[in-house]
Amino acid sequence: MTEHAVVGEGSGDTGAGHLVRQARTAAGISLRELARSIGVSAGTLSAIENGKTPLTVGRLDRIAAELGVATVDILAPRLPSAADATDTSPARSTGAGQRWRTFEPLNLDPALGAAIAAFMQTGYHGATMRSIAANAGMSVAGIYHYYPSKQDLLVAIFDLGMAELHWRIPAARDDGDTVVERFANMVEALALFHTHRSDLAFIGASEMRSFDEPSRSRIAALRSDIQRMIDDQVASGIRAGEFTTRHPREAARAVATMCTSLPQWFRPGGPVSQQQIAVEYAQFAVDIMRGQTRIEPTWPRLPRRERRDTGRS
């Protein structure tokens, strides 16, 4: 991810800076010691932790390295422990594990925000560094100072979306008590991302072909990781006897595709909210896995190999 991309911020009590403070405290490292290790002043780190200074991806990666944890482990919310089960305080009732359902506005640097707008308007190949600079109110040289190429901007956009999905999906899964709840939560999180972060998701779906190597292979692997999480949960549901689909791999991909298509038609402010459509999609997905939406084809059924050869599914 590009150094100057900014991690989404919330308030001082809920944003990424708050999660950094939690991780630092858990590691037993003082604010001054961590600040010195990552090359910033104690005042700057304090401002980051209190949500007063944006947390760039580069700084987040350096903080994670100094704390000896993965970046996604800092961003993933703390899940309730067994000791929390009887806690009925307001803080407990909101549920730390529920943060995967909350989408704060992205705090993007001007260049990245302008690139997203340009790619949405004209596509990656139709946008130029000059048009992006104009949208950002910056000089072309100013854009190049932070992003050496248009390709770097595209990589930063994809990494921003992938980083978010890689903490939201596992957090949603771990927030469920049963195999069905875990699967439904994962689908809900995927649908929520594709409605709340529709620009990132749309670019992610349409511009994969625009990557150069090695970025193409790396990001393809990250996308495959998300699908693998869903596949694994479907397999768990089948082992538990909760899911009965005869084609789990194909069904899991159909569910993922159902969610990734949302940016093509869903518009906020319509008759259905992001949360409503996400819950509905989660139920659709569970029904698919339980074989409750099976429709018998009207054409003569062919052996699987012959169906592939004729292009009929």
Side-chain angles (χ1 to χ4, degrees):
M1 191 182 292
T2 303
E3 171 81 15
H4 292 273
V6 180
V7 180
E9 291 288 323
S11 68
D13 294 326
T14 62
H18 171 69
L19 298 176
V20 167
R21 183 169 63 243
Q22 281 188 332
R24 175 181 61 77
T25 303
I29 298 177
S30 70
L31 185 145
R32 191 173 298 277
E33 180 182 357
L34 179 59
R36 183 170 58 251
S37 298
I38 66 172
V40 302
S41 69
T44 295
L45 181 57
S46 177
I48 290 172
E49 291 189 349
N50 288 288
K52 297 179 180 178
T53 294
L55 175 62
T56 65
V57 172
R59 279 180 176 167
L60 179 60
D61 286 342
R62 288 196 294 276
I63 288 170
E66 291 298 329
L67 296 180
V69 299
T71 301
V72 294
D73 290 337
I74 293 179
L75 294 178
R78 184 189 70 84
L79 298 176
S81 66
D84 296 327
T86 58
D87 184 356
T88 58
S89 65
R92 173 71 180 95
S93 65
T94 59
Q98 296 293 311
R99 288 188 187 138
W100 58 269
R101 287 191 173 101
T102 301
F103 286 77
E104 299 290 346
L106 289 175
N107 189 3
L108 302 172
D109 65 68
L112 200 60
I116 291 172
F119 295 164
M120 287 295 294
Q121 183 177 13
T122 63
Y124 174 77
H125 291 292
T128 65
M129 292 295 269
R130 186 172 300 278
S131 67
I132 292 169
N135 287 344
M138 300 171 63
S139 66
V140 175
I143 296 288
Y144 277 117
H145 176 74
Y146 295 107
Y147 297 92
S149 70
K150 188 171 67 168
Q151 181 77 186
D152 287 304
L153 283 162
L154 183 64
V155 170
I157 292 168
F158 266 75
D159 279 341
L160 193 62
M162 285 293 102
E164 192 164 343
L165 280 171
H166 273 77
W167 79 256
R168 286 188 186 276
I169 301 297
R173 176 194 62 207
D174 297 342
D175 199 36
D177 293 328
T178 68
V179 66
V180 175
E181 286 181 4
R182 288 191 285 274
F183 173 72
N185 282 355
M186 293 170 76
V187 176
E188 183 182 337
L190 193 60
L192 284 171
F193 175 85
H194 283 81
T195 53
H196 283 277
R197 303 287 192 244
S198 58
D199 285 358
L200 293 182
F202 184 85
I203 294 172
S206 61
E207 297 295 353
M208 190 67 193
R209 66 187 185 279
S210 301
F211 278 113
D212 299 332
E213 292 291 359
S215 295
R216 183 195 301 271
S217 295
R218 179 180 65 81
I219 291 175
L222 291 173
R223 288 160 61 108
S224 295
D225 285 343
I226 299 297
Q227 184 65 57
R228 192 173 299 112
M229 292 181 203
I230 297 172
D231 292 346
D232 290 346
Q233 195 59 41
V234 170
S236 296
I238 290 175
R239 288 193 298 270
E242 293 287 348
F243 297 155
T244 58
T245 177
R246 294 188 298 173
H247 307 296
R249 187 173 182 274
E250 292 87 344
R253 276 150 183 75
V255 166
T257 302
M258 179 174 71
C259 294
T260 58
S261 69
L262 279 166
Q264 298 178 27
W265 67 267
F266 182 86
R267 295 295 178 268
V272 182
S273 70
Q274 286 103 329
Q275 186 60 50
Q276 287 172 317
I277 199 67
V279 170
E280 287 181 6
Y281 269 40
Q283 186 60 62
F284 294 161
V286 171
D287 288 345
I288 289 171
M289 295 306 163
R290 286 176 167 169
Q292 295 177 8
T293 59
R294 182 175 176 79
I295 300 175
E296 289 296 334
T298 57
W299 58 83
R301 181 168 294 279
L302 302 174
R304 286 182 66 80
R305 181 180 298 279
E306 189 174 352
R307 293 209 306 276
R308 284 199 301 272
D309 291 342
T310 60
R312 177 176 289 170
S313 58

